[in-house]
Amino acid sequence: MEIYSLSMHEIHDLLASRRAGAVEVVSAFLGRIESVDPKVNSYISTLADAALEEARLFDNGKKDFAASPLAGVPLAIKDVICIKGTRTTCGSRILENFIPPYDGTVTTKLRDAGAIFIGKTNMDEFAMGSSTENSAFGPTRNPWDLDRVPGGSSGGSAAAVAAGLCAGSLGTDTGGSIRQPASFCGVVGLKPTYGRVSRFGLVAFASSLDQIGPITRDVEDAALLLQAIAGYDRRDSTSVDLPVPDYRAALSEPIRGLRLGIPKEYFIEGTSPEVLAAVRRAIDTCRGLGARIVDVSLPHTEYGIAAYYIVAPAEASSNLARYDGVKYGLRAGGAKDLMEMYRRSRSQGFGPEVKRRIMLGTYVLSAGYYEAYYKKASQVRNLIRRDFQEAFEKCDALLAPVAPIPAFKIGEKSDDPLQMYLSDVFTLPASLAGIPGMSVPCGFTSDNLPVGLQILGPHFSEELILRVAHQFEQATMPEIGGRKTEILSRLA
Ligand code: GLN
């Protein structure tokens, strides 16, 4: 077995039992990045020197593999999360040369756990997008078919895991950006409950929605990574002060007797028949594991897109006001006065999708329009939240598709923002409601493209959805696991 094909926990076992050294492991990934990433473009920056230096501390006995299950494990971090002294671009020209003087809380926690950062991953600019085509650093390609998108906005993190270019990664999810790329790339993605993970040091897109979460090769790794980053942080006032359970310990419990709800609004016309077939088979598998399948309804699902594409741009327009050419990043030259300098810096620094969102957001927040748009969207958001509450009175968790289609061709939707927005239909509602959600691989199309199963649960039910995902994964391992290994060798 090649090192780059192993999961985080398998790599940690290798290290802890001294069957491999940390430098050997880091070098295996760096070598793989050198040979494979020119095709995939999953990284914006690699951190070879710092990663090797860190690895040597383990091999010289200055750091101990036994300290934590992440000790010595190479991870990739979405380039919207600050690592002190390391360029953090958010996929944007405007932050091309931004070097944060501090670590984000998740970065500190992972560093303290002994994880080794090997690079910063590609993404849609400021996490706005569903395909990673909106990056100033070129699109990332899907390892399963290099002509297709990896999903977005955490496409770089998902593609890096799928292509064996890191052992695990962090992404962020505002409206689906962890779950959808995980689904498109055949890996596991977990968006935690809003408030579960601190966002201190995460560059803000839409503050009432943004969450950081793991993208990994298997469910056990997602549990380990969530364990390391979850918890209250006084530097993020939206983080919630609740105890963090032992996520890994919960995985092994069978799902017999659990009530799994099937929301009828997620099985609609317009969804690819191959996606529906894979998800239906997954539901049968869960039934076979003893779960009780119940029909439920989330009646306001169809309003999710309209509500999200008001709330998210509104918050983005306000968050992005700070990029004025003075405090951060790019400053355009040649301006006669301050206003012109602002205008030029923002015109040159932001890409077209970000400009579209700023204009939309500024419009819906402007005097006279606030009530009609932002306020209305917030009310719809409450209805969507209530839908989930009512559904969770009838079931413990929900099963659904992640996206209506599998990975699409690069360029196929990039000229049509509305089509791109519509493809988020199944991920936006959970984000609006703040509940946790996962994507776990559940099958393939006839073109050998992965399909993800979405598992949603009530607020702070990460233990439960991880358990459902793990039990499902174990039951389908022979078929799905085999294909995942196959793709790795095809890329070499
Ligand atoms: N695709 C959605 C958007 O473009 C969600 C992005 C995200 O979750 N960051 O806003």
Side-chain angles (χ1 to χ4, degrees):
M1 217 30 145
E2 299 285 353
I3 285 176
Y4 61 72
S5 71
L6 301 178
S7 64
M8 290 164 50
H9 59 93
E10 289 167 333
I11 287 177
H12 189 260
D13 287 348
L14 270 189
L15 293 168
S17 61
R18 313 266 160 205
R19 279 173 293 147
V23 170
E24 188 187 339
V25 166
V26 167
S27 306
F29 282 104
L30 292 174
R32 173 92 176 162
I33 291 172
E34 209 168 298
S35 62
V36 171
D37 206 44
K39 293 181 219 163
V40 180
N41 197 30
S42 63
Y43 283 96
I44 291 178
S45 319
T46 47
L47 307 171
D49 294 344
L52 286 168
E53 197 178 310
E54 194 62 26
R56 268 182 232 115
L57 296 178
F58 283 99
D59 290 352
N60 296 338
K62 296 204 174 74
K63 284 196 168 185
D64 185 1
F65 294 122
S68 111
L70 299 189
V73 175
L75 299 183
I77 307 292
K78 187 177 181 182
D79 208 19
V80 66
I81 296 170
C82 293
I83 299 182
K84 184 177 175 176
T86 297
R87 184 168 83 123
T88 297
T89 68
C90 299
S92 183
R93 282 275 164 255
I94 211 156
L95 288 178
E96 200 172 21
N97 298 312
F98 172 59
I99 298 184
Y102 66 104
D103 270 333
T105 295
V106 292
T107 320
T108 308
K109 286 188 168 204
L110 291 176
R111 208 190 277 291
D112 290 350
I116 299 179
F117 304 131
I118 57 167
K120 302 295 296 290
T121 50
N122 203 359
M123 55 182 284
D124 285 302
E125 186 175 6
F126 285 103
M128 297 174 194
S130 313
S131 67
T132 316
E133 291 166 292
N134 301 332
S135 167
F137 300 86
T140 297
R141 293 170 178 273
N142 191 316
W144 293 82
D145 177 346
L146 295 170
D147 292 331
R148 292 181 186 265
V149 304
S153 64
S154 313
S157 294
V161 173
L165 305 173
C166 61
S169 67
L170 285 188
T172 63
D173 192 310
T174 302
S177 282
I178 289 175
R179 290 161 285 158
Q180 185 255 26
S183 158
F184 280 18
C185 291
V187 295
V188 173
L190 165 60
K191 178 198 95 78
T193 306
Y194 184 76
R196 181 73 290 187
V197 175
S198 166
R199 290 98 47 86
F200 176 77
L202 163 68
V203 178
F205 161 16
S207 306
S208 74
L209 296 157
D210 299 338
Q211 263 297 293
I212 301 171
I215 299 181
T216 54
R217 293 189 70 74
D218 65 21
V219 178
E220 184 171 344
D221 282 357
L224 285 174
L225 207 39
L226 179 64
Q227 194 78 49
I229 60 173
Y232 173 70
D233 176 15
R234 64 175 178 80
R235 288 175 300 183
D236 175 359
S237 61
T238 65
S239 75
V240 175
D241 196 0
L242 275 178
V244 179
D246 184 340
Y247 293 116
R248 184 154 55 166
L251 299 178
S252 52
E253 205 183 317
I255 59 168
R256 178 162 297 283
L258 270 189
R259 295 165 309 163
L260 299 178
I262 313 302
K264 67 167 190 279
E265 293 77 6
Y266 284 62
F267 293 80
I268 47 171
E269 220 178 296
T271 304
S272 140
E274 291 195 287
V275 167
L276 284 177
V279 173
R280 290 221 166 91
R281 237 178 298 121
I283 295 169
D284 287 340
T285 303
C286 292
R287 192 184 282 116
L289 293 171
R292 261 178 51 210
I293 305 299
V294 294
D295 290 327
V296 297
S297 170
L298 298 165
H300 297 94
T301 300
E302 64 171 308
Y303 306 109
I305 295 174
Y308 173 90
Y309 279 99
I310 287 176
V311 172
E315 294 181 12
S317 71
S318 146
N319 275 325
L320 269 57
R322 73 190 68 173
Y323 305 106
D324 55 5
V326 177
K327 296 189 278 298
Y328 306 91
L330 183 104
R331 179 181 305 173
K336 291 189 304 296
D337 55 28
L338 188 64
M339 281 313 282
E340 194 184 340
M341 193 277 284
Y342 288 161
R343 205 175 306 121
R344 283 193 183 203
S345 301
R346 288 171 70 85
S347 304
Q348 290 171 20
F350 291 135
E353 182 60 27
V354 173
K355 286 179 182 159
R356 184 177 300 123
R357 306 271 180 124
I358 292 174
M359 286 190 279
L360 268 171
T362 307
Y363 181 79
V364 300
L365 288 178
S366 54
Y369 292 104
Y370 173 85
E371 305 263 317
Y373 293 109
Y374 192 79
K375 189 162 164 228
K376 190 72 136 244
S378 306
Q379 288 165 338
V380 171
R381 193 173 178 180
N382 279 331
L383 295 175
I384 289 174
R385 198 176 291 142
R386 206 170 315 144
D387 277 359
F388 282 111
Q389 267 162 11
E390 283 168 13
F392 289 131
E393 283 165 16
K394 302 192 187 82
C395 64
D396 302 297
L398 297 163
L399 302 180
V402 176
I405 39 165
F408 44 90
K409 288 257 164 69
I410 291 180
E412 193 180 318
K413 293 182 193 294
S414 48
D415 293 335
D416 190 345
L418 196 57
Q419 280 306 316
M420 193 74 94
Y421 299 171
L422 289 172
S423 71
D424 296 337
V425 57
F426 298 146
T427 48
L428 301 175
S431 298
L432 290 165
I435 60 169
M438 286 190 74
S439 175
V440 60
C442 73
F444 299 88
T445 66
S446 49
D447 290 340
N448 203 33
L449 297 173
V451 177
L453 169 69
Q454 185 168 213
I455 307 170
L456 300 171
H459 292 104
F460 298 100
S461 68
E462 284 82 358
E463 261 178 300
L464 175 76
I465 61 172
L466 279 161
R467 178 178 142 209
V468 175
H470 180 73
Q471 294 296 324
F472 174 77
E473 178 187 57
Q474 295 307 303
T476 53
M477 190 56 103
E479 186 210 336
I480 292 175
R483 293 245 206 150
K484 285 166 81 164
T485 315
E486 217 179 277
I487 178 78
L488 288 172
S489 39
R490 239 204 291 143
L491 276 168

